Amino acid sequence: MHLIRDLESREHLLSIVAASDYVRNYLRFCEKYATMGDIDGPRFSMDEAAEIFRSCGVSLKWHKKFRVFEFDHEKICGWTWFGSLVVQRYDTFEPMMKGEDPQAGKSTGSTLLGLAIDAGKRHDPPIIIGAPAPRPQFDGNMDTMRRMIPDLIALVRSIKDVIRQGWPPAP
């Protein structure tokens, strides 16, 4: 079944996230992991990263072909919410958050950066995120990932806490 991206749900997600500390938390996360490694240096290990996620005790779906980890699936108000980590070229990362309601055929989500930018504009007072866009960086050391992955899980869980408080209950 193909789920339709629901703009109304995205608008609601943005409004409840904007009222939280998420934008500041995201910026602190990116600041903590702001050192980029040399592209000729050590490489990111997908196998090690999968083991780190598993050692954190979260659910994990690993899409090897697309270099994507989906993690910490949880049903909240009838929707299944989870984070994902997309490993891009040169071992750069794009963390994401997604919610799906298969019964209604709906989904919503965003990159964590996109969520921070859009929620920041709605925050009171606004938090404007300019260029260069902050993203967590991989310094070439898998020990960094042993710290970053639990922090990423905690960041996604903070969004889920906001969803628990402000998402409409399932019918």
Side-chain angles (χ1 to χ4, degrees):
M1 169 193 254
H2 181 69
L3 300 176
I4 297 170
R5 292 190 59 85
D6 183 44
L7 295 178
E8 184 179 322
S9 296
R10 177 166 165 69
E11 289 299 314
H12 185 69
L13 178 63
L14 289 172
S15 69
I16 62 175
V17 169
S20 74
D21 288 331
Y22 169 71
V23 177
R24 287 186 187 90
N25 291 341
Y26 175 78
L27 293 172
R28 279 192 288 273
F29 174 72
C30 291
E31 186 177 310
K32 184 175 181 179
Y33 300 104
T35 305
M36 180 71 171
D38 183 355
I39 62 171
D40 293 330
R43 296 283 184 239
F44 180 78
S45 168
M46 296 292 284
D47 290 320
E48 271 187 79
E51 189 51 44
I52 296 167
F53 275 111
R54 287 185 192 107
S55 73
C56 291
V58 296
S59 63
L60 181 67
K61 290 183 182 176
W62 178 10
H63 305 279
K64 289 182 183 184
K65 178 179 178 181
F66 300 107
R67 296 177 47 107
V68 174
F69 296 99
E70 289 181 0
F71 60 91
D72 207 30
H73 296 75
E74 182 178 356
K75 195 153 195 148
I76 303 170
C77 298
W79 287 61
T80 300
W81 294 93
F82 56 93
S84 61
L85 180 64
V86 180
V87 181
Q88 299 173 326
R89 243 201 281 199
Y90 305 115
D91 296 336
T92 59
F93 302 126
E94 192 66 72
M96 303 175 81
M97 178 81 184
K98 187 172 185 181
E100 300 175 338
D101 180 357
Q103 297 286 23
K106 297 179 180 181
S107 74
T108 191
S110 178
T111 65
L112 295 191
L113 171 60
L115 191 59
I117 290 170
D118 293 343
K121 291 175 186 173
R122 296 165 187 236
H123 193 273
D124 186 22
I127 302 171
I128 304 303
I129 299 174
R135 285 187 170 84
Q137 304 293 322
F138 178 55
D139 66 1
N141 184 337
M142 286 306 290
D143 286 336
T144 300
M145 293 310 298
R146 291 185 206 311
R147 294 185 308 277
M148 185 189 290
I149 288 174
D151 287 349
L152 175 61
I153 293 167
L155 185 61
V156 166
R157 287 182 174 173
S158 74
I159 300 168
K160 289 181 185 180
D161 288 342
V162 170
I163 292 167
R164 266 186 212 86
Q165 299 300 315
W167 202 255

